[in-house]
Amino acid sequence: MWNGKLRPDVILLDLYMLIMDGIEASRFISEAYPDTRIIILTSFSDRSHIVPALQAGVIGRGVLRGLPNAA
């Protein structure tokens, strides 16, 4: 969990996380720490996931392909 003491330059996030999703986390981080840049790594490539992430403050994305399903 983010404790607010660290001030990283870049954060890598997945869109799917257990406590809060990556979009909600990006929104929080962007508002609380505007100098921190956020990049998402995700298996989602459709606009319905990417556009909200960009609107939440994400500056870039990497699409993960061919990884084994953890579920």
Side-chain angles (χ1 to χ4, degrees):
M1 191 68 163
W2 185 285
N3 65 11
K5 293 180 183 177
L6 300 175
R7 301 276 193 246
D9 294 322
V10 178
I11 295 176
L12 299 176
L13 288 179
D14 193 347
L15 286 183
Y16 178 75
M17 299 187 299
L18 297 178
I19 296 173
M20 72 172 63
D21 67 37
I23 294 171
E24 184 180 352
S26 297
R27 190 173 292 114
F28 170 79
I29 294 165
S30 293
E31 291 173 4
Y33 307 97
D35 293 333
T36 299
R37 302 296 176 238
I38 304 163
I39 298 171
I40 55 170
L41 298 175
T42 183
S43 60
F44 299 113
S45 61
D46 58 287
R47 293 177 60 86
S48 66
H49 288 93
I50 303 306
V51 171
L54 294 172
Q55 292 170 337
V58 170
I59 64 163
R61 69 176 173 95
V63 177
L64 303 174
R65 298 181 195 277
L67 297 177
N69 188 350

